[in-house]
Amino acid sequence: MVNSSPAVAAHAEGEEIEVLESTDVLPVAPEDYDPENSGFISTERFRDLLAAHGSELDPHKLEVLLALADGNADGKICYQDFVNLMSNKRSNSFRRAILQGSRQLRNSALREEVGLGLSRRLVRHVAYETLPREVDRKWYFDSYNYCPPPWLMLAITIAEVVVFMYYGFQLNRWVLQVSSPYFLKGPLPYHPQLRAQAWRYLSYIFMHAGIEHLGLNMAMQLLVGVPLEMVHGALRIGLVYVCGVLAGSLAVSVTDMTAPVVGSSGGVYALVSAHLANVVMNWSGMKCQFKLFRMAMALVCMSVEFGRAVWLRFYPPAFPPCPNPSFVAHLGGVAVGLTLGVVVLQNYEQRLQEQSLFWIFFSVYTLFILCGIFWNIFAYSLLDVKLPPPP
C-alpha cells in the first residue's frame, strides 16, 4: 500500500467530492484522468491506472477493480464510485457494476487459498459465515485487521456474567434466581411499579432468571453476535441489539403490563433472527458449512429458550402477587431483527442512510417507541391496572 497525497477536491456530476487521506487511495489526480471534469473516467484510462499501480494493491482489491472495469459496458466509470471504492465506502452502483461485470470474479475462491495463519483463517471463516457474495467476502478478508476487535458483544457478555455471579453469591442461588425474594430489589431489572426509572428499560439485560437462562443467551450472543460485529462493526450491531432490547421491554409494558423483565433475550433474538433471515434470503450465496443443520439447531435453541420463558411466566410465582418475568421481550427482539436487523445485514459497507427501507423501518420503530412511552405515561392509570407491589 502507498500513502496518498493530502486530500484533493474532485468535481463529479456537478458536486464537489473530497478524496480523503487513506492508505488505500492510489496517487491519482482527477485532472489527469478526467480532464473535461465530466465526473467519469474512461475504462481505458482506468486500466492504465491499475497497470501502473496494481502491484501496490491487495490482490483481491485489484481483482474487484478489474471486475468494475469489465462491468461498465458504456466504457466509463464514475469518478465518485472510484473514490468511494478506494476509501472503503462502496456504493450500490458499484455493487451492481460488479454483479453485471463479465469477469464476475471468476478467479479462485477465497476458500481455496492455502498457507493462511490461524487469525486469517478465522477471518475467512467469519466471511463465509455472514456474507453471501464472494466480492464482499474477498473485500472483507483484505480489509479486516482486528482493529478494533469485537469488543461490544464481549463486553456485554462479560458484564452479564459478572452481574450473575454477584447475585449468585448474594442470593446463594444459581438456578431460578428469580424465585428469591431479593431478586427484583436491585437497580437493574424492569418492574412495572418502577417504570418511571427509564434506565431499567435497558439495564434489565444484565439480570437473568438463572444459569440456564444466562447460558442459552450467552451462547447465542457469542456465536452469532461476535462474527456479526467483526463484519458489520460495533455501531451497526449495537444499534440492532439496543433496538431489540428497548423494543422488548416496551413490548412487555404494553402487552404484559403487570410482569417484570430480565435477560438479554430481546437483543439476542434481534441479532439471531436478523442473521437467520439473511441466510434464508441469500440461501444460494451463503457458503457456510452445514447451514441447514446449523440453522435448525439455532431455531431449536431459540425455541427452547422461548419455551422456558413461557413456562416460567405462567408457573406459579414464588412470591405472589408479583408474576414471574415476561416472555414478550423475545418477540419484540424478533420483530426488530426481521425489520431493522435484516436491512443492516443486507447492506454490508453500504450507507444505511441511503437505503429507503432503513428509513421506513426506523420510522416505524421510532413511532412504536413514542407510542410505548405515551402508553407507559397514561395507559396504566386510564385502564386502572392493578400492579404488583414494588419489590
Side-chain angles (χ1 to χ4, degrees):
M1 292 293 172
V2 296
N3 292 325
S4 67
S5 59
V8 295
H11 186 74
E13 297 178 341
E15 296 180 355
E16 199 73 17
I17 303 170
E18 290 186 355
V19 185
L20 301 178
E21 293 184 0
S22 168
T23 56
D24 286 336
V25 178
L26 293 176
V28 51
E31 59 271 12
D32 294 337
Y33 291 88
D34 183 22
E36 297 85 11
N37 286 331
S38 64
F40 293 91
I41 305 175
S42 70
T43 53
E44 293 181 1
R45 291 180 177 179
F46 185 66
R47 289 180 180 279
D48 292 341
L49 178 65
L50 294 181
H53 301 283
S55 61
E56 301 162 358
L57 288 168
D58 291 323
H60 295 141
K61 185 169 288 187
L62 177 62
E63 183 182 348
V64 169
L65 288 169
L66 288 171
L68 175 63
D70 285 351
N72 286 268
D74 53 1
K76 58 185 180 180
I77 297 169
C78 177
Y79 185 78
Q80 185 172 9
D81 277 354
F82 168 68
V83 170
N84 290 339
L85 171 66
M86 299 311 297
S87 302
N88 287 331
K89 298 176 181 177
R90 298 174 297 156
S91 65
N92 282 326
S93 59
F94 160 74
R95 172 171 285 173
R96 287 193 297 269
I98 291 295
L99 295 178
Q100 296 168 1
S102 60
R103 183 177 299 269
Q104 291 292 318
L105 296 174
R106 283 191 292 267
N107 292 351
S108 61
L110 184 60
R111 192 188 296 274
E112 299 173 4
E113 297 196 5
V114 296
L116 299 177
L118 179 61
S119 63
R120 301 311 296 168
R121 290 203 303 271
L122 176 60
V123 173
R124 180 176 63 181
H125 173 75
V126 169
Y128 276 98
E129 289 292 309
T130 57
L131 296 171
R133 302 176 183 88
E134 187 69 12
V135 59
D136 287 337
R137 290 191 284 263
K138 289 187 173 183
W139 191 268
Y140 168 73
F141 181 80
D142 278 340
S143 302
Y144 188 73
N145 58 4
Y146 292 96
C147 185
W151 60 271
L152 180 62
M153 289 294 103
L154 294 176
I156 292 175
T157 304
I158 292 173
E160 291 171 355
V161 172
V162 169
V163 171
F164 178 78
M165 296 288 290
Y166 171 80
Y167 277 95
F169 286 113
Q170 284 286 100
L171 306 176
N172 194 25
R173 192 186 302 266
W174 303 96
V175 178
L176 287 180
Q177 287 184 352
V178 70
S179 62
S180 170
Y182 301 103
F183 180 75
L184 296 176
K185 289 184 179 295
L188 298 177
Y190 167 85
H191 191 282
Q193 283 281 19
L194 304 175
R195 64 187 185 279
Q197 299 175 359
W199 70 84
R200 292 179 181 268
Y201 289 89
L202 296 174
S203 64
Y204 73 92
I205 68 171
F206 298 108
M207 298 285 292
H208 286 80
I211 194 169
E212 70 289 345
H213 187 195
L214 174 67
L216 283 170
N217 276 348
M218 189 170 65
M220 291 189 288
Q221 192 164 272
L222 292 176
L223 292 176
V224 177
V226 170
L228 290 180
E229 185 181 347
M230 289 176 65
V231 173
H232 298 278
L235 184 61
R236 291 190 175 193
I237 297 306
L239 172 67
V240 177
Y241 189 88
V242 171
C243 286
V245 169
L246 187 56
S249 55
L250 283 175
V252 171
S253 70
V254 171
T255 62
D256 197 1
M257 301 170 67
T258 63
V261 189
V262 294
S264 58
S265 299
V268 170
Y269 275 56
L271 293 181
V272 175
S273 59
H275 178 59
L276 294 182
N278 188 41
V279 171
V280 172
M281 294 169 65
N282 300 279
W283 188 261
S284 61
M286 284 292 187
K287 303 300 182 183
C288 48
Q289 294 180 330
F290 311 111
K291 58 184 176 183
L292 183 59
F293 171 76
R294 293 165 62 186
M295 187 170 183
M297 290 302 299
L299 291 174
V300 167
C301 290
M302 293 177 70
S303 301
V304 168
E305 160 58 15
F306 183 69
R308 181 210 58 81
V310 173
W311 169 83
L312 181 62
R313 172 64 179 87
F314 296 105
Y315 187 80
F319 302 96
C322 182
N324 286 323
S326 177
F327 61 86
V328 178
H330 299 69
L331 304 179
V334 170
V336 169
L338 296 180
T339 52
L340 272 178
V342 169
V343 174
V344 170
L345 300 192
Q346 284 280 313
N347 289 280
Y348 167 67
E349 288 221 344
Q350 307 297 308
R351 294 183 177 91
L352 290 179
Q353 62 267 30
E354 295 178 358
Q355 313 301 319
S356 57
L357 269 181
F358 172 78
W359 289 112
I360 292 172
F361 289 138
F362 190 78
S363 299
V364 172
Y365 178 79
T366 304
L367 181 62
F368 166 73
I369 296 298
L370 293 175
C371 291
I373 292 174
F374 280 104
W375 180 274
N376 278 269
I377 294 174
F378 301 109
Y380 281 76
S381 58
L382 290 176
L383 298 175
D384 194 23
V385 178
K386 297 185 182 304
L387 296 177

